[in-house]
């Protein structure tokens, strides 16, 4: 249990003494806090906190912490999650035709840059199979038609559950997921949208950006909700373009951006630094 | 005429020999080209050029150039403008309640950073008057109501024409200008919109950005057309925000951005570096 | 005392229970924490904290807080400062020939954007006098020669002390301040350097950037120490340039950057968000 | 020869009529110019041009162009190069222990994003071999010691020449190349330096950035010259960091930047958009 930390993510109505009581809970059990971030939304009178402490020397075993914390959580009607830094989340990547984000994630994993296991790659096209399997990752091809869409998604969900997948990454996956799927993986599906949302939501944002004549394009990493392209935003970045850039040039520039923004959003999720709040996120960077 | 340059801005259907013929026109008259920028839109088969050359040693006087160039322009059905670098455009600034862009422009003029004369400041509110007049600039107060809107605008346009105003800058002016006004100053009215267009067009973009939970905000300098917030974009820039930023914080950050983006758009216009093309711009930076 | 907050900035050797004890100190006296930021440097085993709470309802009067907190501070050998959000620091601005940062600060004050009083502008040149006095600010001209340098600085320091100046801003001031002056205003003098430090320290960074052919230039806001251009960095930003930019173009672009970066550094200081630590800063943004 | 363009890159002392004569050379032979970029350095009185035209319909075969252009080039003492867009340069990548840039380039090639053939990967360590060969690329391991350094470099240079390598990319290669090697591949070796040059030249720039407490880090793509880290800069970019970032965090953030900046520098080179001029570059973006 050396070097393992516990991370508590919580939110509740704002109230006096929350920081004191939560840090006291840890201190009394001999825990050493290494990070504490707190945010109060004045307009909504809500309190958000992320606190990380060392398990080494802590009076409670990791399996005892939840029960010990529950009374305090109940008193303040907290929503809360407990994570441990030695757990490696199990991730599945969905992809369609555009491979750049998939490739980037596979290489990050290969370089031990990703704090997650890439357990499966799922696609409605067979194209990615060879490369994926070359890196020792399981590849599943689920061709999707208008007709079999519902059944295929059910099979995918079944597979993910059997494989104990914690997190789904849509790395330029062009199929829309149903409410049922989204509910099961609520706040655990990350999508990369190839525009600076809310600008150019929907189809073909490269073309939309070209037609509008913007001087900057962007990419957005966000959690997926039923309202397409309206999920809570985790990370965004932009890059300059000019009149010289064709739609193809915009695509080339954007692809670099998408890779980096998706990786950044994913890293923040894997480090348990994100709290979702309505259609927004608190990101304790 | 020492150190004065001529600038030709032109566009036409693409055709072989355009660069050769235009540069030859200048060279044969002993002109020294100091800048030549050219762009061909392959999709639209259009040709755009900006060429700047020294009048010193040029065989034609400045008043003779247009007549000499006209036949070539006619042959290729060019749209074209001729400018001289020693002309100081006469500018009017429109403002409502938010003064930061106006203040910025006044100070830039005071520091000789603006290649334009600030001849008049026009507002539907009296607030800016004192500061404006303190810097020796004429201030005109045109209160606008639902009822007198049309007449006031007519009076403003008359004033601008009498004052020989070349360029109108809307430095956070909250009234909508009519088609008649816009037509007279076509591609000569620059507005600063306090969002990264096309995101958060319309009213209160700070609040819209806050509500959507974006991680980046922007500002857009553009020419004004009848379709509000849809005019050709000249310059855009962005700045990062986080969940810690209230609407007021967003406003504070945005104001710095708006000043800089408006000044950049204005500088590009004053240096005759912009060609408008449909709802887009070619900016020869 | 409505709406007034207290802010505690502190640092000490890292130790278990610091967050708990500090937040408990506030909670037991019925204080409502509105912001709490904490940072632990693992390499140096140091703890940093900024905590802000409402005085409204707090059991102690503002003049009693220091005495009450002192025992805890002593126990952990803390360096600490206590601030109140209703105090408006008294600021003096030093300037030489380049006025853009001075102008920007004066206008921000005029627009009520600066949470500080601009009490005096001091210059080794007379140029800024008229504009400064036009805005109702006191102007002091201290011409500096090789010979009188020491005496003039002594007179300046005397003036600042008599005027109870809290904070000195070097808005492109080209004279070097002595160790005595710097010691008196330790961590209370902010300078804007017109390069991306540590690149292009020293004289004429615009020319240095041009000669080196960099593709990006920057500006740096930092506290002033005896080692010129090596003080703790508060804020930095950059802008792209190209081979088309002359030294004069670089200057024009940089000036916009300098204004914004200096204003940002100043805002962070005035919001008491900075802890200095060796030659570095902790900025709780 | 459909859709193939010729690209002329040239520089010479500035002189009247250069644009006219060069564009006339192309026009008289029935060439259609698709891009023409020109730059005049006023301080050095130098002229730079990049002109691209369609071979389709051009009166000269590609092998005849050089001879036809030579008299004009001689008259103005031009330095010049002629390229054709259907030639795919043969590239070798050098790497040591850090693989992220190598991986990125391999994947870009795999996705047909690179307009170059990756013919060989050369390393002083064996680590990269498996992955490189998995993608069907030749891998050469040249272990380097103090003693054999000179001979190994000679063998490498021999290999590159035998393989007709046009371009060498140092993708985090930690050995210094000799003047002989550099001379042979003058302006054809691109290095990625993991700092914002000239800041943090030399070893361990991540640690240097951490120790200095900068708020922004960068990466620089540049041509390699004998003066280490002083070669002509092609592309730079930056990313924000904070006091929370450890040296390891800085490395993680920087690696994303290095990949993108190296790829951008390489793309500009492969599109023949760069002219080197002393220790600087003209980049016709």
């Amino acid at each position: 249990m050396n070097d393992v930390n516990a991370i508590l993510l919580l939110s509740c109505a704002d109230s006096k003494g929350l920081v004191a009581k939560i840090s006291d809970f840890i201190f009394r059990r001999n825990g050493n806090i290494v990070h504490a971030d707190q945010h109060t939304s004045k307009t909504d009178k809500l309190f958000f906190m992320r606190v990380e402490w060392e398990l080494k020397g802590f009076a409670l075993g990791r399996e005892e912490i939840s029960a010990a914390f529950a009374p305090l959580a109940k008193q303040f009607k907290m929503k809360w999650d407990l994570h441990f830094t030695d757990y490696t989340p199990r991730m599945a990547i969905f992809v369609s035709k555009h491979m750049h984000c998939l490739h980037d994630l596979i290489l990050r994993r290969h370089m031990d840059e990703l704090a997650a296991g890439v357990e499966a790659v799922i696609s409605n096209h067979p194209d990615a199979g060879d490369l994926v399997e070359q890196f020792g990752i399981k590849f599943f091809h689920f061709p999707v038609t208008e007709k079999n869409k519902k059944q295929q998604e059910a099979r995918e969900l079944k597979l993910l559950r059997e494989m104990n997948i914690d997190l789904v990454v849509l790395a330029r996956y062009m199929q829309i997921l149903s409410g049922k799927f989204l509910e099961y993986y609520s706040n655990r599906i990350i999508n990369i949208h190839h525009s600076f949302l809310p600008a150019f939501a929907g189809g073909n944002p490269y073309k939309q950006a070209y037609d509008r004549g913007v001087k900057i394009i962007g990419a957005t990493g966000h959690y997926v909700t039923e309202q397409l392209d309206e999920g809570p935003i985790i990370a965004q970045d932009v890059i300059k373009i000019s009149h010289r850039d064709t739609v193809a040039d915009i695509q080339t520039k954007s692809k670099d951006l998408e890779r980096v923004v998706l990786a950044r959003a994913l890293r923040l999720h894997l480090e348990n630094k994100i709290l979702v709040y309505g259609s927004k996120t608190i990101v304790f960077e």
Side-chain angles (χ1 to χ4, degrees), chain A:
Chain A
M1 209 183 281
N2 276 355
D3 291 341
V4 180
N5 293 346
I7 296 166
L8 195 57
L9 283 171
L10 61 89
S11 61
C12 58
D14 194 20
S15 169
K16 275 189 190 175
L18 280 163
V19 175
K21 280 172 181 162
I22 294 159
S23 50
D24 191 59
F25 169 83
I26 295 163
F27 173 57
R28 279 174 184 267
R29 285 157 186 88
N30 207 34
N32 188 39
I33 292 175
V34 289
H35 293 295
D37 286 286
Q38 164 271 356
H39 176 63
T40 311
S41 168
K42 280 207 160 183
T43 34
D44 305 281
K45 302 200 183 306
L46 289 173
F47 174 86
F48 302 90
M49 194 172 190
R50 180 191 188 275
V51 58
E52 179 173 347
W53 70 96
E54 298 171 355
L55 283 190
K56 192 181 166 186
F58 195 55
L60 300 176
R62 66 169 78 192
E63 70 294 339
E64 301 169 303
I65 300 174
S66 287
F69 187 70
L72 191 60
K74 200 179 170 190
Q75 181 190 347
F76 289 96
K77 292 182 184 154
M78 295 174 186
K79 287 193 209 172
W80 60 290
D81 284 299
L82 183 66
H83 302 276
F84 299 99
T85 52
D86 62 349
Y87 179 70
T88 304
R90 298 171 60 84
M91 186 165 97
I93 303 172
F94 281 55
V95 70
S96 291
K97 286 270 187 188
H98 294 285
M99 302 292 167
H100 52 288
C101 288
L102 171 68
H103 285 179
D104 189 64
L105 292 177
I106 287 176
L107 274 198
R108 285 178 196 268
R109 170 186 171 272
H110 187 74
M111 293 187 283
D112 279 329
E113 271 189 22
L114 263 195
V118 180
E119 305 300 332
V121 172
I122 291 173
S123 182
N124 51 334
H125 298 287
D127 314 38
D130 284 355
L131 186 96
V132 165
E133 289 174 348
Q134 188 176 316
F135 279 89
I137 301 166
K138 285 177 189 153
F139 179 76
F140 301 92
H141 178 212
F142 288 92
V144 174
T145 64
E146 202 61 51
K147 224 174 161 178
N148 75 357
K149 194 171 162 40
K150 217 171 156 177
Q151 296 96 303
Q152 290 295 67
E153 198 197 85
R155 287 179 57 210
E156 287 164 354
L157 184 54
K158 186 161 172 285
L159 176 70
L160 296 182
R161 296 175 70 160
E162 284 169 3
M163 292 185 78
N164 293 313
I165 297 299
D166 299 300
L167 172 68
V168 173
V169 172
L170 308 184
R172 303 292 309 274
Y173 183 64
M174 306 312 278
Q175 298 292 321
I176 293 171
L177 297 168
S178 73
K180 195 188 161 192
F181 193 107
L182 298 177
E183 195 183 348
Y184 187 79
Y185 278 107
S186 173
N187 295 337
R188 295 189 298 158
I189 308 178
I190 294 175
N191 183 50
I192 180 72
H193 185 78
H194 42 315
S195 86
F196 175 66
L197 288 176
F200 310 132
N204 214 343
Y206 303 146
K207 181 69 164 44
Q208 286 189 61
Y210 176 82
D211 288 342
R212 180 59 187 91
V214 289
K215 300 302 184 189
I216 287 176
I217 55 165
T220 304
H222 64 95
Y223 288 116
V224 180
T225 57
E226 282 207 69
Q227 280 64 43
L228 211 62
D229 300 331
E230 296 195 3
I233 293 171
I234 304 168
Q236 298 188 293
D237 211 345
V238 298
I239 194 168
K240 287 185 191 288
I241 61 168
S242 82
H243 62 271
R244 297 194 191 276
D245 290 301
T246 62
V247 175
D249 294 332
I250 289 174
Q251 176 170 356
T252 299
K253 288 187 171 183
S254 181
K255 282 161 77 175
D256 278 4
L257 209 57
E258 294 161 32
R259 277 183 265 228
V260 171
V261 171
L262 176 56
R264 193 184 305 159
L266 186 53
R267 185 156 55 225
L268 291 167
H269 179 93
L270 294 173
E271 293 174 345
N272 298 298
K273 289 187 170 167
I274 311 171
L275 278 157
V276 174
Y277 146 52
S279 64
K280 299 164 74 168
T281 60
I282 309 289
V283 178
F284 287 121
E285 264 184 288

